[in-house]
Amino acid sequence: MSDATPETMYVTTTLRGGGAERLLTNILLPQRAPERVSVISLLPGGVFRPMLENAGIHVADLGMNRRR
């Protein structure tokens, strides 16, 4: 068996600054292996994105917009 910890991916609508996004950020920032965590946001940008990236967490967005 491998000792490697599986990678974890979190998917969120946005990282723009709501309570759920703040909670996710607070949970992820103290991670011991941030390179094994990914966050996917449906909408681009957000106030929490730079904090997560500076902590070494991979953040990507799908470039969607709010219009239907």
Side-chain angles (χ1 to χ4, degrees), residues 10 22-31:
Y10 297 89
R22 166 57 75 188
L23 181 61
L24 177 63
T25 302
N26 289 345
I27 290 170
L28 296 180
L29 288 180
Q31 292 291 314

Side-chain angles (χ1 to χ4, degrees), residues 45-61:
V47 297
F48 297 117
R49 183 175 183 147
M51 286 186 252
L52 293 169
E53 290 175 329
N54 290 339
I57 297 169
H58 174 73
V59 180
D61 67 70

Side-chain angles (χ1 to χ4, degrees), residues 9-14 24 38-42 62:
M9 179 184 296
Y10 297 89
V11 180
T12 183
T13 304
T14 182
L24 177 63
S38 297
V39 175
I40 307 299
S41 176
L42 301 181
L62 301 181

